[in-house]
Amino acid sequence: MQHITKAVFPVAGLGTRFLPATKAQPKEMLPVVDKPLIQYAIEEAYDAGIREMIFITGRTKRPIEDHFDMAYELETELQAAGKLELLKVVQSIKPEDMECVFIRQPKMLGLGHAVLCAQQLINGDPFAVLLADDLMVGEKPIMKQMVEQFAEWRASIIAVQEVPPEHTKRYGIVGGTHVRDRLVDVAKIVEKPAPEEAPSNLGVAGRYILTPGVLDEIRMQPKGVGGEIQLTDGIAGMLRREKVFAYCYEGKRYDCGSKEGFLQASVELALAHPQLGPGFRDYLKNLEL
Ligand code: G1P
């Protein structure tokens, strides 16, 4: 059986929604509690059995490469000082069996174009796409849930959630027929439609498993919403030839590309943190709001 071994992380975006914090640092390096956003996405992919991480980067994104590289001086210092717990934390960022590859996206032409930059490395295999802005939390990691769906259906799987009708313009929206609980056979997918044009209220979250055919479809797409080459349009093209399923994942998504979502993630993950949680809960209770 063909497993999903590769994941694409488009991280070239400018992060303008988060200025001024993102003026000189990548938005993917903003920490929620004690880990940068990108590390949550990488860990989710790793927990799903994925070992080849393909980053689509751009200018100003060097800190992401450094984060997943060996930090020789830091590790030597920690070792010499006997701070072995911290050393373990630093070394666990990139487990031995994980491979990181970095590809530059020379021009920011859209999410579809970013994914296309990985075509040579994808090399005809099905692959995952994770958008680090979307911090996903589930008892079972969301990508793991999706890999299980892929193993069963052998077709592209897109993560979706119900969104308020007035928010359809923020998402790719799918329409189709329910084949069973949590699973929709997709007939239509539209990028950021107005509420009256949305085929349903199921919005795409930033997790995909895609068959390689999507890459040729993206290549054929004209510019879409916002003048960008859209991943959604490539998936829409693929619908003519292949089955695509939308999967209503079990868990929660935080839109960490927005300040509100980022704050919610910070508070809720701090509350759930094994060491920080209890004290932080007391602190919040005593806050005079
Ligand atoms: C992208 C996709 C969109 C999806 C969203 C999820 O949009 O194009 O279909 O619903 O991610 O976060 P973006 O948020 O990058 O504009």
Side-chain angles (χ1 to χ4, degrees):
M1 191 175 74
Q2 201 176 12
H3 292 294
I4 303 296
T5 58
K6 302 171 186 179
V8 177
F9 300 84
V11 292
L14 285 178
T16 48
R17 281 201 289 164
F18 234 112
L19 282 167
T22 49
K23 184 179 173 217
Q25 70 168 332
K27 60 175 173 173
E28 296 81 8
M29 288 302 292
L30 296 175
V32 170
V33 187
D34 53 2
K35 278 192 286 196
L37 277 174
I38 184 67
Q39 195 178 331
Y40 287 95
I42 292 285
E43 287 177 359
E44 188 188 327
Y46 189 89
D47 287 344
I50 295 169
R51 294 294 178 269
E52 190 176 331
M53 313 300 183
I54 304 168
F55 298 75
I56 311 299
T57 76
R59 290 178 292 281
T60 78
K61 299 293 180 156
R62 266 287 299 279
I64 300 178
E65 295 186 38
D66 291 341
H67 190 70
F68 292 97
D69 196 0
M70 191 185 179
Y72 185 76
E73 283 162 5
L74 175 64
E75 291 180 30
T76 313
E77 290 287 329
L78 291 174
Q79 181 88 50
K83 294 182 174 167
L84 301 184
E85 277 305 307
L86 283 178
L87 182 63
K88 222 159 74 191
V89 168
V90 169
Q91 289 177 337
S92 69
I93 296 172
K94 185 188 167 299
E96 290 279 325
D97 61 349
M98 183 171 111
E99 193 190 343
C100 295
V101 189
F102 299 88
I103 299 178
R104 286 268 206 152
Q105 184 185 15
K107 283 189 190 168
M108 274 173 282
L109 299 178
L111 179 59
H113 177 259
V115 172
L116 202 51
C117 291
Q119 185 157 25
Q120 268 197 315
L121 287 169
I122 296 301
N123 195 22
D125 292 326
F127 61 100
V129 177
L130 294 92
L131 309 185
D133 275 4
D134 284 341
L135 201 169
M136 311 283 282
V137 179
E139 217 164 286
K140 184 186 282 186
I142 311 301
M143 186 47 71
K144 189 165 189 181
Q145 297 175 31
M146 294 176 66
V147 162
E148 288 173 6
Q149 293 297 323
F150 176 79
E152 188 175 344
W153 298 90
R154 320 301 304 161
S156 295
I157 310 282
I158 304 170
V160 294
Q161 62 180 14
E162 288 186 8
V163 301
E166 65 274 19
H167 288 175
T168 55
K169 262 189 164 307
R170 298 182 186 177
Y171 301 92
I173 303 286
V174 304
T177 40
H178 273 271
V179 285
R180 70 172 186 216
D181 191 30
R182 297 193 175 276
L183 208 71
V184 172
D185 185 350
V186 177
K188 202 172 176 192
I189 180 165
V190 193
E191 181 67 4
K192 305 196 170 91
E196 58 278 12
E197 273 144 34
S200 78
N201 66 341
L202 290 178
V204 176
R207 300 290 183 274
Y208 309 77
I209 291 178
L210 299 170
T211 54
V214 75
L215 297 169
D216 293 329
E217 292 293 342
I218 296 171
R219 201 178 282 289
M220 289 190 294
Q221 294 307 316
K223 287 180 183 168
V225 172
E228 298 191 342
I229 298 175
Q230 296 288 353
L231 179 57
T232 298
D233 295 340
I235 297 170
M238 195 164 60
L239 280 175
R240 288 193 298 265
R241 290 186 285 105
E242 289 181 32
K243 275 218 175 293
V244 174
F245 293 98
Y247 170 66
C248 307
Y249 58 88
E250 281 180 74
K252 192 160 179 182
R253 161 182 175 269
Y254 300 95
D255 173 12
C256 288
S258 81
K259 292 173 189 172
E260 294 79 7
F262 187 88
L263 286 172
Q264 287 160 8
S266 300
V267 170
E268 292 186 31
L269 270 63
L271 285 171
H273 193 281
Q275 283 91 43
L276 300 171
F280 188 58
R281 185 174 302 274
D282 288 344
Y283 163 76
L284 288 180
K285 273 192 196 146
N286 294 328
L287 258 191
E288 283 182 27
L289 295 173

